[in-house]
Amino acid sequence: MKNININNFFDKIRKFKDRYPVMSIYIVGNFINAILVRLFTTGHFQVRSIFFDMAFILVLAGLSLLVKRKNLFYGITTFFMVVICVANSLYYNYYNSFISVSLLATSVFVKDVGDAIVEMVVRPCDFSYLWLLITMFWVIKKNKIGERDNKKKYSVFLWISLILMVIGCALPPYTSFSRLYKLWNRVMVFDSWGPYVYQVDDLVQSLRPTFNNIFGYDKALKDTNEYYNENKKILKKNEYTGIFEGKNVIVIHAESLQGFTIGLKFNDKEVTPNLNKLINSGMYFDNFYAQVGVGTSSDTEFTFATSLLPSNNGTVFVNYYNDKFVTMQNLLKNKGYYVFSMHGNVGDFWNRETMHMNMGYDKFYSKSSFVVDEEYGLGLSDESFFRQVVPKIKEISEEVPGPFYGTLITLTNHTPWKDAYKYSNFDVSKTVNIDGVEVKRDYLENTMMGRYIKSVNYMDKAIGNFINDMDKEGLLDDTVIVIYGDHDARMSKGQFDYMYNYDPVTDKVLTSLDDDYTEFNDYDYELSRRVPFIIWTKDMKTSKNINTPMGMIDVLPTLGNMLNVYNKYALGQDVMSIKKEDGIIVFRDSSYITDKIYYSAKNNEAYTLSSGVISDDYISKRSEYADDIIEVSNNIITYDLIPKLN
Ligand code: GP9
Ligand code: MN
């Protein structure tokens, strides 16, 4: 009996295939690609999401019955689905997240960092999905006339899809629909709903700002007003209040400067000798993290200036450059400062030309303001940049009546550090004594990590020269120097594994079976993404190490208090006013770090950083806080709420 049924089933499939040859390839092919894209990205296979893939494809297959030019329909939709797979495959390998259509608006910048992307990302498997386009082309060519019409059958497809979706929803791990709506955690949405549903969701969410006057505005305004009423900030004075009031400020935005390079040595030479000097006589926040999204450098600039988290839909600099924000720049301008920014890349990169004016800068000196006498990577070299910056600052200091605040954005240390060998001879090899013979091993030479270390050493030198030149010009006497790493270097975990576990004696990499093996797990990797934050003045004599967990969002409240400016919409905290256990860094996907845990929203898991039991309450309270500040930031950005708040 069973046999007959199975034969029947296969018979039906065979008949279906004969009757709908193109559609059969369409269904099976797009389904296979959806499986492949998981394999080549997260490697997670949630059964529920596979049901959604099939449901999605069957809805389209059903719709094809309603259109006249079916082959054209199959061709176009397959093309888009293949593009989804290729793009996400490439993107994930680089960013560890999935692509957003809102990036199309920023694609011009992606093109400029194209070099980096090509070098780090492209794997042949990222193009494996193209097999389907070729196969479809071939099958369509064989079936030029197209398949017979059977319009009525479309409802059968829709019913099957609906059943598959219901089963999918009923399967663990259960994920709330609000995740789909908020799309804070792209990996989670991709894992739970599959690549196709993810991308449609992303499209809908990306179009949301466009319709923001129609949908959600009133609720966003009400919620945000409520949030600020319930979480009234009380301005706390502390021993740092106003210590830098009226002083000039130079902020160095250090491209991709990651915290682990500080204090690191190779062959007894420090990677960052100049930064170390500043750290040893200044304030060093060594538990500090950037909180960027797809807008990387620009997101950090935004969060630094506003104490809001970056947008989850696109990039503030590109998509919301008309919004009004309270910024560090505006606040200081109101106190009589002259506010400027300088950068050795073209002015429209990240839409800075426009956005810097909106943020309150009086002037943006971009590449065209400099003599381009030496170029590496994306533009003017850091050494040349800093050399030319000093006379410009000198001129400003002589011309403006009040103090100045300047942001200097470095560039050479941008991934992939292709020219590192041209501008740095920092030695990252290792010499070892084996049986009385000195043997030199390449170690990090010719690795991506090695190039990065060389490049960081170069940036450190450029910053060191700058500090000296400023001093020679007498510009340091009344100036505060602030330095931050804008985000991590986006180096793969494998590079760290190799750095920590290379054994020069055997010329091999240790494995977990070896005694001296240094474990570097996914959480160590996340934690290693911290970046330095330094505040220094020439007259500081002793170092002060602050290890309260702190994010870019806390800079405006903290540094602002020292400069005596205050933003009542700031979502960060003045870390000089809080206890270590109250520090928290919230990331855009609602993961966060405290002094006790790293909470991964993706895995819904807490990685403990200290001994002691962590209660569910501890986690849920902070998760709620994380969700709140993400939501408030998003509402403000999406609906341009600052001018409308009570
Ligand atoms: C380019 C620089 C790099 O001008 O700020 O931007 P990123 O790729 O780091 O966002
Ligand atoms: Mn950057």
Side-chain angles (χ1 to χ4, degrees):
M1 182 69 181
K2 242 186 188 166
N3 258 344
I4 296 168
N5 275 345
I6 286 175
N7 284 342
N8 247 346
F9 177 70
F10 282 119
D11 245 17
K12 277 198 173 143
I13 291 204
R14 219 166 290 130
K15 271 192 199 142
F16 182 88
K17 193 193 88 207
D18 292 342
R19 181 160 180 183
Y20 301 106
V22 189
M23 193 205 274
S24 302
I25 292 291
Y26 180 78
I27 294 173
V28 176
N30 283 303
F31 184 68
I32 291 177
N33 273 353
I35 302 289
L36 285 180
V37 75
R38 289 178 175 82
L39 185 71
F40 299 139
T41 56
T42 59
H44 300 160
F45 290 89
Q46 288 187 15
V47 179
R48 52 171 277 143
S49 69
I50 291 169
F51 277 80
F52 291 119
D53 289 339
M54 192 41 105
F56 183 87
I57 298 166
L58 290 184
V59 169
L60 289 180
L63 289 180
S64 77
L65 296 176
L66 298 177
V67 297
K68 232 180 168 172
R69 305 190 61 183
K70 296 187 184 3
N71 285 346
L72 188 67
F73 178 89
Y74 293 137
I76 291 176
T77 48
T78 302
F79 173 78
F80 280 112
M81 284 193 272
V82 168
V83 168
I84 289 173
C85 294
V86 174
N88 278 299
S89 217
L90 288 165
Y91 192 84
Y92 185 87
N93 198 27
Y94 190 62
Y95 290 108
N96 256 298
S97 182
F98 292 101
I99 203 160
S100 167
V101 285
S102 58
L103 258 188
L104 291 180
T106 60
S107 59
V108 23
F109 311 112
V110 174
K111 188 183 88 223
D112 280 4
V113 284
D115 255 11
I117 291 177
V118 167
E119 171 130 346
M120 293 172 75
V121 189
V122 176
R123 307 165 295 176
C125 65
D126 296 328
F127 297 99
S128 58
Y129 319 93
L130 295 173
W131 73 272
L132 181 59
L133 279 184
I134 300 162
T135 313
M136 284 291 281
F137 182 72
W138 177 69
V139 185
I140 286 175
K141 232 179 131 192
K142 267 183 58 188
N143 294 276
K144 270 202 193 110
I145 337 141
E147 289 156 354
R148 263 182 294 153
D149 255 352
N150 194 346
K151 286 192 178 143
K152 279 183 206 144
K153 280 238 161 105
Y154 88 94
S155 62
V156 178
F157 284 84
L158 296 191
W159 274 113
I160 300 176
S161 300
L162 193 68
I163 293 168
L164 291 175
M165 280 190 254
V166 172
I167 299 175
C169 286
L171 287 172
Y174 313 104
T175 349
S176 86
F177 279 97
S178 77
R179 295 274 173 186
L180 262 185
Y181 176 73
K182 290 175 178 165
L183 197 56
W184 290 341
N185 188 343
R186 291 173 185 273
V187 176
M188 189 190 244
V189 170
F190 187 98
D191 280 349
S192 310
W193 276 277
Y196 304 132
V197 176
Y198 159 74
Q199 210 66 67
V200 172
D201 182 37
D202 165 69
L203 177 69
V204 174
Q205 301 310 333
S206 301
L207 290 177
R208 225 154 33 111
T210 322
F211 301 112
N212 65 12
N213 287 329
I214 314 170
F215 304 116
Y217 171 83
D218 292 338
K219 183 172 181 316
L221 181 60
K222 188 172 150 274
D223 290 353
T224 310
N225 268 324
E226 255 168 42
Y227 176 85
Y228 282 112
N229 285 335
E230 281 163 22
N231 297 278
K232 278 232 155 55
K233 297 254 153 79
I234 307 144
L235 179 58
K236 278 196 205 125
K237 292 210 183 285
N238 56 36
E239 57 178 306
Y240 296 92
T241 306
I243 54 168
F244 299 139
E245 190 161 13
K247 281 200 187 297
N248 304 313
V249 184
I250 290 293
V251 178
I252 300 178
H253 167 119
E255 175 60 43
S256 303
L257 176 63
Q258 205 164 332
F260 74 91
T261 58
I262 303 293
L264 191 66
K265 278 186 182 172
F266 288 82
N267 305 305
D268 268 342
K269 291 221 165 67
E270 295 167 304
V271 178
T272 58
N274 293 297
L275 293 176
N276 295 352
K277 262 188 234 155
L278 303 183
I279 287 169
N280 289 333
S281 58
M283 292 184 212
Y284 180 44
F285 302 77
D286 69 357
N287 203 358
F288 178 76
Y289 288 81
Q291 293 158 296
V292 299
V294 290
T296 42
S297 278
S298 69
D299 279 349
T300 263
E301 283 188 58
F302 172 74
T303 299
F304 183 103
T306 59
S307 191
L308 299 174
L309 286 172
S311 163
N312 272 320
N313 272 323
T315 299
V316 178
F317 270 44
V318 177
N319 306 98
Y320 304 95
Y321 52 83
N322 275 327
D323 281 14
K324 294 280 161 286
F325 300 106
V326 177
T327 63
M328 173 84 93
Q329 291 78 357
N330 275 323
L331 291 167
L332 288 173
K333 214 154 100 167
N334 292 342
K335 283 178 83 100
Y337 274 71
Y338 178 75
V339 189
F340 63 91
S341 56
M342 297 183 177
H343 184 39
N345 195 359
V346 287
D348 62 357
F349 202 99
W350 281 133
N351 204 21
R352 281 190 178 105
E353 218 140 49
T354 309
M355 188 62 191
H356 276 203
M357 293 302 115
N358 182 7
M359 288 163 85
Y361 285 113
D362 290 299
K363 187 165 174 170
F364 172 36
Y365 299 74
S366 65
K367 190 175 181 181
S368 55
S369 309
F370 295 89
V371 180
V372 185
D373 50 4
E374 187 180 50
E375 266 192 290
Y376 296 122
L378 291 171
L380 185 62
S381 77
D382 283 354
E383 273 189 324
S384 174
F385 170 71
F386 278 121
R387 205 184 309 124
Q388 297 183 55
V389 153
V390 180
K392 286 188 165 48
I393 298 181
K394 177 92 183 153
E395 208 179 307
I396 291 169
S397 75
E398 285 163 358
E399 278 174 15
V400 300
F404 57 80
Y405 173 98
T407 305
L408 310 179
I409 303 168
T410 74
L411 190 56
T412 308
N413 196 40
H414 195 280
T415 176
W417 317 287
K418 227 171 44 194
D419 296 327
Y421 282 86
K422 289 191 202 151
Y423 54 75
S424 167
N425 56 10
F426 189 76
D427 185 1
V428 289
S429 69
K430 228 178 203 172
T431 303
V432 67
N433 193 307
I434 305 175
D435 301 331
V437 184
E438 296 268 290
V439 180
K440 188 171 169 175
R441 303 287 196 200
D442 273 354
Y443 185 36
L444 294 186
E445 293 292 346
N446 304 313
T447 66
M448 179 156 287
M449 180 64 89
R451 294 207 306 269
Y452 174 64
I453 302 278
K454 282 171 191 285
S455 180
V456 169
N457 176 257
Y458 167 83
M459 177 165 61
D460 175 86
K461 191 165 113 206
I463 293 175
N465 293 343
F466 167 71
I467 303 278
N468 285 339
D469 291 352
M470 287 282 284
D471 200 15
K472 274 188 215 143
E473 293 295 340
L475 287 166
L476 281 189
D477 301 335
D478 216 16
T479 301
V480 184
I481 303 282
V482 176
I483 303 175
Y484 63 82
D486 71 338
H487 47 73
D488 66 294
R490 291 171 274 171
M491 188 94 54
S492 74
K493 192 169 149 278
Q495 295 286 326
F496 285 93
D497 267 330
Y498 184 83
M499 176 165 74
Y500 293 135
N501 286 306
Y502 173 77
D503 179 359
V505 177
T506 57
D507 194 21
K508 293 213 166 65
V509 183
L510 302 176
T511 70
S512 53
L513 301 174
D514 295 300
D515 289 343
D516 294 336
Y517 177 74
T518 307
E519 196 194 330
F520 192 75
N521 62 31
D522 287 350
Y523 288 116
D524 296 325
Y525 178 76
E526 290 304 328
L527 292 164
S528 80
R529 298 172 76 171
R530 63 169 72 86
V531 295
F533 180 50
I534 304 166
I535 301 178
W536 179 86
T537 57
K538 195 180 156 185
D539 56 8
M540 285 182 177
K541 292 284 172 273
T542 49
S543 65
K544 181 165 176 64
N545 223 314
I546 298 102
N547 56 12
T548 306
M550 175 183 186
M552 204 57 80
I553 202 169
D554 301 317
V555 171
L556 177 53
T558 307
L559 179 63
N561 180 44
M562 298 178 187
L563 292 162
N564 225 347
V565 292
Y566 175 66
N567 169 10
K568 65 173 173 173
Y569 301 117
L571 294 176
Q573 14 185 25
D574 177 355
V575 295
M576 298 313 215
S577 274
I578 60 170
K579 292 197 209 97
K580 194 176 166 195
E581 57 262 38
D582 293 327
I584 181 166
I585 305 124
V586 171
F587 298 101
R588 278 194 349 157
D589 69 345
S590 35
S591 298
Y592 57 84
I593 294 175
T594 67
D595 67 325
K596 292 194 177 52
I597 58 168
Y598 171 83
Y599 171 77
S600 159
K602 183 158 84 180
N603 303 335
N604 186 15
E605 186 174 79
Y607 180 71
T608 48
L609 306 174
S610 64
S611 53
V613 183
I614 303 296
S615 67
D616 287 349
D617 187 52
Y618 180 93
I619 295 175
S620 60
K621 262 200 191 122
R622 281 155 187 83
S623 289
E624 211 172 285
Y625 171 78
D627 284 359
D628 276 353
I629 67 167
I630 293 171
E631 182 150 12
V632 171
S633 300
N634 267 330
N635 281 343
I636 289 179
I637 295 165
T638 310
Y639 301 104
D640 191 12
L641 291 186
I642 292 286
K644 292 139 199 157
L645 293 174
N646 294 336

